[in-house]
Amino acid sequence: MSGTQRVRAPRPVRLGPKSVAVLLLTGAIGVVAFGWPLLVDTGSGLAHAQDAPWLFAALLPLLVAVVVATISESGMDAKAVAMLGVLAAVGAALRPLGAGTAGLEPMFFLMVLSGRVLGPGFGFVLGSVTMFASALLTGGVGPWMPFQMLSMGWFTMGAGLLPGPDRLRGRAELAMLAVYGWVAAFAYGVVMNLQGWPLITGLGSGISFDEDDPLNENLVRFVAYYLTTSLGWDLGRAVLTVVLTLTLGPTLLKALRRATRRAAFDARAAFGEPEKQPEGTAQGSS
């Protein structure tokens, strides 16, 4: 058959209205889960150890809902879910390589690049599932796990929301991803510190949470707490994310985009008009 086949370059998975609604609901639940300890008395006996199971119970069906909504709105098949599982397994295997060593966690750069290629909806699910799998792999299951799942989901989703998913390529894209990885690595640390700080006792008066003070003063104390205890750790994470993004990013982006093309992520074939034969050419000549 004559004709020219043109295959469109793979694009991140678009968010439909159902996916947006579920992600907004998940985000609202996450904000409340992270922030409510700032508004209650620390002597009340309430802690994340009590609310974590409820957050985890709410998070799992919401993750499934994001996947179902994204698949139904984009027309993807089981190959997309399989790719999500493979990336989550790779990310979970990468995390123990640097955990506990000055914040050097190579899984973060994989999440940045995967979120860029997969898009925000699947990126959120990928980040959350990867953190869940790594917790099972390393034995890091505890009250902090659902909060880590939410934070990593936001981290990966943010990469999928960056501009120019269809047209921005090359050094400009790598520079943008590196800047995002740098900023988001610190943001992840800030959010995870907020999860436990209001419930920690025995800190210095300048960095401890005080239930008798207004919210703005406690936030100033939180900034001092973060700078004192966690800035160096998050700096290592940010530096490694930038270095790996700039060095391994081109190769991994090509591999991810090739895989999404084969998995039919928003790629459709188009056929041009049949080629015209030159005048005077006999039909059926050998």
Side-chain angles (χ1 to χ4, degrees):
M1 183 179 75
S2 62
T4 302
Q5 184 178 13
R6 300 188 304 273
V7 179
R8 188 172 56 187
R11 302 183 303 177
V13 182
R14 303 294 186 182
L15 283 179
K18 295 178 183 178
S19 303
V20 171
V22 177
L23 286 173
L24 288 176
L25 176 60
T26 306
I29 293 175
V31 170
V32 172
F34 276 99
W36 72 261
L38 293 173
L39 307 177
V40 301
D41 188 342
T42 54
S44 63
L46 297 174
H48 283 309
Q50 281 72 46
D51 69 357
W54 297 104
L55 176 60
F56 184 68
L59 185 58
L60 286 184
L62 287 173
L63 291 177
V64 175
V66 173
V67 174
V68 172
T70 304
I71 290 177
S72 65
E73 292 173 333
S74 63
M76 293 184 301
D77 56 18
K79 291 182 289 185
V81 180
M83 182 176 177
L84 189 72
V86 170
L87 289 174
V90 174
L94 284 176
R95 192 181 179 209
L97 297 180
T101 308
L104 301 179
E105 298 173 282
M107 69 172 289
F108 278 79
F109 107 97
L110 176 63
M111 295 297 102
V112 170
L113 301 184
S114 299
R116 174 66 171 175
V117 174
L118 292 174
F122 261 48
F124 178 82
V125 177
L126 172 62
S128 299
V129 172
T130 300
M131 191 58 72
F132 176 69
S134 69
L136 297 180
L137 184 64
T138 61
V141 178
W144 54 85
M145 186 183 70
F147 298 93
Q148 289 178 325
M149 292 173 62
L150 270 173
S151 299
M152 186 58 70
W154 290 335
F155 179 95
T156 312
M157 181 178 68
L161 292 172
L162 292 173
D166 300 330
R167 61 186 182 277
L168 188 62
R169 295 290 186 271
R171 294 181 180 179
E173 182 182 35
L174 284 178
M176 180 183 67
L177 293 176
V179 171
Y180 172 80
W182 174 272
V183 175
F186 287 104
Y188 175 88
V190 170
V191 171
M192 283 308 301
N193 273 276
L194 183 60
Q195 172 259 330
W197 170 72
L199 310 173
I200 299 176
T201 59
L203 298 174
S205 59
I207 61 176
S208 292
F209 173 74
D210 190 341
E211 66 272 15
D212 296 325
D213 284 347
L215 179 61
N216 61 321
E217 293 186 13
N218 274 318
L219 290 179
V220 172
R221 287 192 173 93
F222 173 70
V223 172
Y225 165 79
Y226 173 76
L227 294 176
T228 303
T229 62
S230 303
L231 180 61
W233 184 276
D234 293 341
L235 178 61
R237 177 191 299 126
V239 170
L240 182 63
T241 301
V242 170
V243 171
L244 292 179
T245 299
L246 294 178
T247 55
L248 302 181
T251 301
L252 186 55
L253 283 172
K254 289 180 181 179
L256 288 172
R257 283 172 173 144
R258 186 181 303 115
T260 57
R261 186 184 297 112
R262 292 179 178 178
F265 276 37
D266 197 34
R268 296 178 178 86
F271 294 89
E273 297 180 358
E275 296 179 355
K276 295 181 179 180
Q277 293 187 0
E279 294 184 1
T281 302
Q283 299 291 333
S285 57
S286 56

